Amino acid sequence: MSVKKKSESKKKAHAWPHAKVLEGSFNPKAAWSEVYDFWEGNGCFESADTSQKGQKAYCIMIPPPNVTGVLHMGHALTNTIQDVLVRWRRMKGDNTLWLPGTDHAGIATQAVVERELKKEKNAQGRPVLRQDLGRDAFIQRVWEWKEEHGNLIAHQQRRLGNSLDWSRERFTMDPGFSSAVREVFVRLYEEGLIYRGERIINWCTVSQTALSDLEVIPKETKGSLWHIRYLLTNAEGEVIKKDDGTDASIIVATTRPETLLGDTAVAVHPEDERYKSFHGMFAQLPLLGRLIPIIQDAHVDQTFGSGAVKVTPAHDFDDYEIGQRHKLPMILLINKEGKLSAAAGPYAGLKVMDARNRVVSDLKDKGALVKTEDHLHKVGYSQRSDQIAEPMVSKQWFVKIKPLAEPAIQAVRSGEIEFTPKSWEKTYFEWMENIRDWCISRQLWWGHQIPAWHCQQCAEITVSRETPVGC
């Protein structure tokens, strides 16, 4: 999609700002403001739609800052580097475009506007929610926020002296961009690279939306490692006895004891000698009594904890992969509000942390809690709400990553693309070779809508460039 001028710049006749009588001391605030006005008013930063014969074209699309706030030092640094490059190429005579714009920043912007809304009170005296306004009225409030803060960002960039072509300024929710988003989505869907399915994703219980992997920030957190006893049984549920007549058991170590209510297996490494005799046995789930199989999977780390891990496929990324390999059932234990579901039995309705405390207490009372250790580990937090993100299986839209990642990996291996310093290649390969299918759907009111329509009569889904009429 070509980027054309929104309108022809209104050229003004400007006198050079330094033609005035100088003040007693240099005032950069006043001087540079007038210099910038002169540059912009005379079209010094504007590019032509087509380059002249023999003229090179040079373009930088500014990484669009979010309309959630103001520019920070990171923007100032990267914009300064871009400005140097752009001015250099412009002075060389190239047809140079530095394109300005702002990003609608779906989750962040909606969260900020919702936070502002809550400062208001409704007729009952409680904070106003977006649901109180309805979708259309809420979207209007977001547009008002965008106009205010988008203009502030543009003002800051002018004060920094950024030589941007303001005649072509864009916003990621402009009609042209919305049309491009729809076109790319439909095209990738037609190529089989976008699909809708149930997979494990990160969910923000505050913003009430799915998150991409990049929107989850791992933070080192002081937690605990709980060692829990699961009784061993046969397929009929009879507890296996040891030679001394006591109940046989397997000790499982976990950082999330509350999710044991959704366990569907206990996994051990197939080469772990400690558990060779356990193959084919079952474990009795503490507190609920449900029988789950003991399985072997090479993904299990024999050195972590007891070397035996509980498998909760619906609420852990590694467990999800184990569950797929072994065709384990998935129990949705935690709902989108961050509370335990009916599958949790007597713990249903509790918030996750409250459930953890109750489960640990009950395990202790029943003699199933062997020991508790301090444990430093990484926990994923939503980048926007700064609350713990909950992994859960959910029906969302995804992009198939493998066919897209393979040529990108090959481009680096072949030397077509080089990293400087070269040591970054290792990080790149680790990321690209282990990347999962990317979740692209969000449960937001603000942002681009997925061009998929659900028929109320036949329940079919239609993905289309145009809004379909009828079923």
Side-chain angles (χ1 to χ4, degrees):
M1 180 179 69
S2 61
V3 179
K4 294 188 176 181
K5 299 183 181 183
K6 284 188 172 180
S7 61
E8 289 296 320
S9 290
K10 295 178 181 178
K11 301 289 194 301
K12 300 177 184 177
H14 284 257
W16 281 102
H18 58 259
K20 298 192 309 181
V21 176
L22 293 177
E23 298 178 18
S25 59
F26 180 61
N27 182 353
K29 185 178 293 186
W32 283 115
S33 177
E34 293 186 23
V35 169
Y36 195 92
D37 287 346
F38 176 86
W39 285 340
E40 185 181 350
N42 285 275
C44 297
F45 306 148
E46 295 182 13
S47 60
D49 289 341
T50 56
S51 300
Q52 298 177 7
K53 186 177 181 180
Q55 186 184 35
K56 293 181 180 179
Y58 185 78
C59 176
I60 293 180
M61 320 291 276
I62 196 169
N66 295 347
V67 290
T68 49
V70 296
L71 300 183
H72 51 65
M73 289 302 294
H75 292 115
L77 173 62
T78 55
N79 287 358
T80 299
I81 295 169
Q82 290 171 22
D83 197 27
V84 169
L85 293 170
V86 164
R87 289 175 182 270
W88 169 55
R89 296 301 291 259
R90 195 181 284 126
M91 287 190 291
K92 286 183 67 177
D94 296 342
N95 186 17
T96 304
L97 169 63
W98 189 14
L99 184 73
T102 47
D103 191 338
H104 67 280
I107 297 177
T109 304
Q110 179 162 315
V112 168
V113 176
E114 286 194 76
R115 190 160 60 243
E116 290 299 307
L117 270 180
K118 288 179 180 177
K119 294 177 182 178
E120 304 173 16
K121 296 291 188 292
N122 65 7
Q124 289 73 43
R126 67 168 176 77
V128 175
L129 305 176
R130 61 183 165 93
Q131 290 83 356
D132 298 329
L133 297 183
R135 183 171 188 139
D136 291 343
F138 177 76
I139 294 299
Q140 180 58 37
R141 290 287 290 265
V142 183
W143 275 110
E144 292 168 6
W145 173 274
K146 178 266 173 188
E147 290 303 319
E148 177 184 349
H149 288 79
N151 292 338
L152 178 58
I153 288 169
H155 173 72
Q156 286 183 292
Q157 288 171 328
R158 285 180 167 92
R159 293 297 300 273
L160 286 168
N162 293 338
S163 58
L164 292 150
D165 186 347
W166 292 106
S167 68
R168 302 175 187 265
E169 184 181 6
R170 289 295 183 268
F171 176 56
T172 52
M173 288 282 285
D174 284 346
F177 284 103
S178 294
S179 176
V181 167
R182 178 178 288 198
E183 170 62 32
V184 170
F185 186 98
V186 175
R187 191 180 300 176
L188 291 175
Y189 177 80
E190 291 172 345
E191 293 173 4
L193 291 171
I194 283 181
Y195 66 94
R196 186 170 184 252
E198 282 194 331
R199 293 180 59 88
I200 192 163
I201 53 100
N202 282 296
W203 180 265
C204 179
T205 58
V206 176
S207 303
Q208 285 293 291
T209 182
L211 304 169
S212 75
D213 290 353
L214 284 180
E215 292 167 322
V216 178
I217 309 301
K219 294 184 180 181
E220 279 207 337
T221 305
K222 290 181 179 179
S224 299
L225 188 64
W226 288 271
H227 294 251
I228 304 166
R229 176 180 289 106
Y230 289 50
L231 294 178
L232 292 175
T233 77
N234 56 24
E236 287 72 40
E238 297 171 340
V239 177
I240 295 171
K241 300 293 184 180
K242 294 191 291 187
D243 292 341
D244 61 3
T246 58
D247 295 339
S249 62
I250 186 169
I251 308 301
V252 169
T254 180
T255 59
R256 298 201 65 183
E258 70 281 3
T259 63
L260 71 80
L261 305 168
D263 286 359
T264 54
V266 170
V268 297
H269 195 283
E271 297 177 3
D272 193 329
E273 293 295 332
R274 293 172 295 178
Y275 302 115
K276 288 280 189 180
S277 62
F278 290 39
H279 297 183
M281 293 183 182
F282 289 78
Q284 187 183 83
L285 195 65
L287 305 180
L288 296 186
R290 189 173 67 247
L291 296 187
I292 56 177
I294 295 176
I295 61 173
Q296 297 79 51
D297 195 281
H299 180 76
V300 176
D301 181 358
Q302 300 178 62
T303 64
F304 177 77
S306 64
V309 297
K310 55 190 285 305
V311 183
T312 319
H315 295 286
D316 182 274
F317 282 91
D318 289 336
D319 291 4
Y320 176 82
E321 297 298 335
I322 293 175
Q324 293 296 295
R325 286 193 291 272
H326 296 269
K327 296 181 171 55
L328 297 174
M330 292 187 293
I331 298 174
L332 284 170
L333 181 71
I334 301 169
N335 65 24
K336 291 178 179 178
E337 283 69 44
K339 295 180 180 180
L340 269 60
S341 69
Y347 306 93
L350 292 175
K351 291 183 177 180
V352 169
M353 287 303 174
D354 293 335
R356 177 177 297 180
N357 294 334
R358 277 271 301 274
V359 165
V360 169
S361 176
D362 290 349
L363 288 171
K364 192 180 298 183
D365 291 345
K366 294 181 181 297
L369 184 63
V370 178
K371 64 177 178 177
T372 304
E373 299 174 321
D374 291 336
H375 182 62
L376 187 66
H377 64 132
K378 290 187 176 180
V379 176
Y381 280 75
S382 169
Q383 183 184 31
R384 300 307 177 190
S385 69
D386 199 34
Q387 297 297 309
I388 294 175
E390 283 293 345
M392 65 175 63
V393 169
S394 178
K395 185 172 283 187
Q396 303 287 341
W397 290 90
F398 297 89
V399 175
K400 287 183 182 177
I401 292 299
K402 189 175 181 181
L404 298 174
E406 285 175 346
I409 293 170
Q410 182 56 32
V412 177
R413 293 205 183 279
S414 66
E416 181 182 353
I417 293 176
E418 297 181 6
F419 276 88
T420 303
K422 194 174 178 62
S423 58
W424 278 102
E425 285 187 6
K426 181 182 178 186
T427 302
Y428 174 78
F429 290 133
E430 285 177 354
W431 171 256
M432 295 296 285
E433 290 171 351
N434 295 291
I435 197 169
R436 297 184 288 260
D437 284 359
W438 204 256
C439 179
I440 57 172
S441 47
R442 301 290 181 272
Q443 288 62 48
L444 301 171
W445 284 2
W446 169 248
H448 298 290
Q449 289 184 284
I450 288 175
W453 287 264
H454 302 253
C455 178
Q456 293 182 346
Q457 281 74 41
C458 66
E460 289 295 318
I461 296 176
T462 300
V463 174
S464 173
R465 292 171 178 82
E466 305 297 331
T467 302
V469 178
C471 180

